[in-house]
Amino acid sequence: GDSVTQMEGPVTLSEEAFLTINCTYTATGYPSLFWYVQYPGEGLQLLLKATKADDKGSNKGFEATYRKETTSFHLEKGSVQVSDSAVYFCALDSGGSNYKLTFGKGTLLTVNP
Amino acid sequence: EPEVTQTPSHQVTQMGQEVILRCVPISNHLYFYWYRQILGQKVEFLVSFYNNEISEKSEIFDDQFSVERPDGSNFTLKIRSTKLEDSAMYFCACAAGRGNQPQHFGDGTRLSIL
């Protein structure tokens, strides 16, 4: 079945540091890939997405590139801020009739001033 | 921006009791989902709902669970006889379509079974 593997957290960085959160996946067919973010006390918000190989999703300074050859969708940001502190979830949907999402375990990011 | 609203934000229930979690999806969305997240674990798919019927359910979604859209706006998840292991955060999600249409999530209901 489909699965998503994220790097184990927590990740602690200083403000303006470079962020990478690794994500790899296993899926049948050609999934769409997503990063969701969960700020403390809130629900899941879509951060960015990519729907086919070599697409790059980007939003709020975050980027991720759909790499079919390595089955990866790593999240990056060049300079993190304290306000980026949250849990980040990598997810995929492999289509079919329902487009249900399969999530990774989530990675807690803490950014210190 | 339109939001998905879930109520209550926190529900505490005795084991064996019935509980209903409520969701008001975005008004023109057609695809509805419930997910849950047990503390410290990944977000798991429970059920998808389209055209007034369940389109897919996971192994977790056994006979104790049911969903309905009673009035065309609310989307509810009922757990008939709660167990301790049902304690989790439950998220409602909806989408305008399939494929490129992302799912929009509510803030969740934290369910605590005593």
Side-chain angles (χ1 to χ4, degrees), chain A residues 15-58:
Chain A
E15 207 163 24
E16 299 183 4
F18 184 85
L19 168 70
T20 300
I21 300 177
N22 289 338
C23 172
T24 57
Y25 67 89
T26 303
T28 53
Y30 302 96
S32 294
L33 302 173
F34 305 85
W35 278 99
Y36 279 83
V37 59
Q38 184 178 31
Y39 298 103
E42 298 184 15
L44 297 164
Q45 300 176 25
L46 178 66
L47 181 59
L48 53 84
K49 68 174 185 177
T51 56
K52 60 183 188 297
D54 300 325
D55 268 3
K56 177 186 284 188
S58 61

Side-chain angles (χ1 to χ4, degrees), chain A residues 4 36 38 42-44 46 49 51 89 97-101 103-105, chain B residues 33 35 37 42-43 45 48 55-56 91 98-100 102-103 105-107:
Chain A
V4 175
Y36 279 83
Q38 184 178 31
E42 298 184 15
L44 297 164
L46 178 66
K49 68 174 185 177
T51 56
F89 293 91
S97 61
N98 302 302
Y99 292 85
K100 67 180 182 187
L101 292 174
F103 285 88
K105 285 189 175 181
Chain B
Y33 307 82
Y35 294 83
Q37 184 183 26
K42 63 173 65 177
V43 178
F45 167 77
S48 58
S55 42
E56 185 174 351
F91 292 105
R98 300 181 295 179
N100 291 334
Q103 292 183 27
F105 284 76
D107 285 349

